[in-house]
Amino acid sequence: MTYAEERERNIARNRQLFVDLDIDRLRPKYEPKENTRKKVAAKKRRSPSPESDGCDEPPKKILRIPDDGNALGGARRSSRLAGRTVDYKREQDRGVPEPITVNRSRKLKVGEVKSKRTYDPHMYGHIPDVEVGTWWATRQDCSNASIHAPWVSGIAPGPNGAYSIALSGGYDDDIDDGYAFTFTGSGGRDLRGTKTAPKNLRTAPQSSDQSFEDRNNAALKRSVETQKPVRVIRGFKGKGKSKYAPSEGYRYDGLYVVKKAWIEKGLNKEGFLVCKFAFVRLAEQPAIPVNDGGDDSDVADE
DNA sequence: GGGCCCGCAGGG
DNA sequence: CCCTGCGGGCCC
């Protein structure tokens, strides 16, 4: 079977999975066009000025929001407060800030600012004050906004599921329908090269099996059990494969839940296994803008 | 375009 | 200290 044939087969299987999971009915009716004005406004990178495009306020207080609650947006529960409804955002307004440990090496005092973060990224659900659709030029900016902490890694793992993931179109047989997509796990890459040709890479081609032993993959599998919301950013590298990928930079597309986790043979000639996950977007969020392509026509790559 | 090498976040 | 990880800048 050729690569293209296998790719088509995998994609067809994933589409059938969406039918079986009965998520196709969640497809939104309206799909606004991507606002290209944004990327012009934020074209200036390289400049050391910390502004992105007006989406992040200057940090004031650093607060920790407990990650043990059922975090869906603002209202959360914790076991200590079982039976009560607690709005932590309002609690913050009343100003009862707790210290946050960013580096684990030292505690920050209230009001002290480490990097540019206002909120701890180790929490489930939305980050306060960051709207769905917010755009950043780089992964570093996403990290500073607490939406997706790792600069490189596509998965931010937590004890009760992944906090966030980054969609970058790195796997050819993943499908992206906007409101739902499949996602491939991490691991199985040789980042250090060989003894004779050592390397110090951050990404590399698949060279071994992935598994749920991997911390990142395990977290996403756990997300299936807990159904905790996962923040999703889409990156420009997915364009050409997905019309929902931004033409530039990275965009926060809101909260999804992981419906299913499984292992299958990956789309590589060696047949290494990969971990796959099916994501579905939570309802009542702003529509995802589509990228008309405009310039690229190379969808038929082999 | 590709190759290289780096910083950083996070965890062990 | 060590390691990993669908970045990114630079040079060619």
Side-chain angles (χ1 to χ4, degrees), chain A residues 6-167:
Chain A
E6 191 166 1
R7 175 172 179 262
E8 288 308 313
R9 192 197 55 176
N10 289 2
I11 288 176
R13 194 194 320 121
N14 287 335
R15 292 218 169 278
Q16 182 59 44
L17 174 67
F18 281 5
V19 174
D20 294 342
L21 293 175
D22 195 28
I23 62 179
D24 196 61
R25 61 193 166 78
L26 300 173
R27 183 184 295 273
K29 298 188 184 77
Y30 302 109
E31 294 184 335
K33 295 269 166 57
E34 183 184 46
N35 185 356
T36 52
R37 175 181 55 82
K38 255 184 187 172
K39 71 183 179 190
V40 175
K43 188 71 175 186
K44 44 142 183 149
R45 49 183 74 136
R46 194 177 280 181
S47 146
S49 82
E51 266 86 39
S52 21
D53 56 354
C55 51
D56 45 357
E57 308 294 326
K60 302 174 192 90
K61 290 187 280 191
I62 295 185
L63 305 169
R64 178 170 182 85
I65 295 179
D67 65 8
D68 56 349
N70 180 19
L72 250 184
R76 295 174 180 80
R77 309 188 310 105
S78 77
S79 52
R80 275 183 309 139
L81 300 167
R84 281 183 55 196
T85 299
V86 179
D87 186 336
Y88 281 90
K89 209 171 175 184
R90 186 169 306 164
E91 298 255 326
Q92 291 157 25
D93 293 341
R94 279 192 278 147
V96 199
E98 298 175 26
I100 170 183
T101 302
V102 172
N103 260 348
R104 204 172 307 282
S105 53
R106 75 185 176 101
K107 289 225 176 198
L108 296 180
K109 294 161 74 173
V110 174
E112 187 180 0
V113 174
K114 166 88 174 180
S115 73
K116 299 201 174 337
R117 285 192 185 149
T118 309
Y119 295 98
D120 190 352
H122 300 91
M123 51 178 270
Y124 296 97
H126 289 299
I127 300 296
D129 307 327
V130 180
E131 292 180 14
V132 173
T134 299
W135 184 96
W136 301 273
T138 66
R139 285 280 297 270
Q140 180 179 3
D141 294 332
C142 296
S143 181
N144 286 338
S146 302
I147 289 294
H148 184 66
W151 282 33
V152 176
S153 181
I155 304 167
N160 294 313
Y163 297 118
S164 56
I165 65 155
L167 274 176

Side-chain angles (χ1 to χ4, degrees), chain A residues 221-236:
Chain A
K221 191 179 182 184
R222 177 113 177 95
S223 292
V224 179
E225 303 163 9
T226 65
Q227 289 294 292
K228 283 198 173 299
V230 181
R231 294 186 296 274
V232 171
I233 60 172
R234 280 186 171 82
F236 69 97

Side-chain angles (χ1 to χ4, degrees), chain A residues 173-210:
Chain A
D173 56 353
D174 275 328
I175 61 179
D176 184 9
D177 289 341
Y179 71 101
F181 59 86
T182 64
F183 184 78
T184 304
S186 68
R189 299 167 188 243
D190 185 6
L191 303 174
R192 299 169 58 185
T194 63
K195 280 174 191 165
T196 56
K199 297 187 186 242
N200 184 16
L201 301 173
R202 299 297 177 267
T203 64
Q206 197 81 29
S207 59
S208 61
D209 289 342
Q210 293 183 0

